[in-house]
């Protein structure tokens, strides 16, 4: 709970420093990088995982979903709708648990390895969409990113059917609910965060 409060104060501080981000820079952050990595990965793994990209649908944990190739146009449209001038401010750019150092006794929060967001003439401004930092935090706090990179998961697949399980700890549900409350505090639509988290997982998997 104290960690969530500290992250909330941090993001409030970020909002004190608004920046101007163009729609093209916004689109580069959310879409262009993703599709560049998808195309790179597809070129490397078309013989192993073609169903992820070319099948009309895939089945994940008994839920039928459109494959990535059929979602490209929708992704572009949805990402454009994320653009709101008031959401652009100072940002860390990789606000996952691995980059957060928190002292529960003193309440001190420190960040490492900032990635920033938008660049102008090759200079990283460490600025961008606050929703991106919220999504980065959520993919650790809600969606188990740190458990996945630690190998705490199980994945089975055959053709276009996938089953997975993430071995979260006993506090995961509580952390997820408190993080969801953080979205409401910053007046962010949870569906937008889910969308960004999904794109983060795809782009990181394919990097």
């Amino acid at each position: 709970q104290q960690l969530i409060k500290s992250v909330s104060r941090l993001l409030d501080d970020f909002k004190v420093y608004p920046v101007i981000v163009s729609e093209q820079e916004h689109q580069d952050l959310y879409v262009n990088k993703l599709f560049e990595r998808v195309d790179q990965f597809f070129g490397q793994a078309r013989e192993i995982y073609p169903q992820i990209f070319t099948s009309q649908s895939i089945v994940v944990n008994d839920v039928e979903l459109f494959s990535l190739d059929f979602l490209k146009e929708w992704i572009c449209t949805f990402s454009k709708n994320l653009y709101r001038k008031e959401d652009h401010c100072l940002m860390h750019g990789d606000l996952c648990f691995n980059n957060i150092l928190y002292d529960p006794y003193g309440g001190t929060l420190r960040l490492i390895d900032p990635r920033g967001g938008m660049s102008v003439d090759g200079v990283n401004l460490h600025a961008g969409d606050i929703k991106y930092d919220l999504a980065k935090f959520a993919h650790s706090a809600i969606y188990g990113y740190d458990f996945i990179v630690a190998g705490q998961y199980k994945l089975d697949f055959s053709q276009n059917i996938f089953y997975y399980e993430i071995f979260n700890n006993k506090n995961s549900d509580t952390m997820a609910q408190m993080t969801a409350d953080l979205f409401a505090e910053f007046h962010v639509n949870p569906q937008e965060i889910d969308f960004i988290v999904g794109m983060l997982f795809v782009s990181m998997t394919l990097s």
Side-chain angles (χ1 to χ4, degrees), residues 105-123:
Y105 300 103
T108 303
L109 184 147
R110 293 183 174 89
L111 305 179
I112 60 174
D113 197 19
R115 300 293 177 86
M118 311 304 178
S119 298
V120 175
D121 296 329
V123 178

Side-chain angles (χ1 to χ4, degrees), residues 38-50:
V38 168
D39 291 340
Q40 179 184 3
F41 180 80
F42 187 70
Q44 297 171 349
R46 70 172 66 244
E47 295 183 2
I48 304 175
Y49 307 114

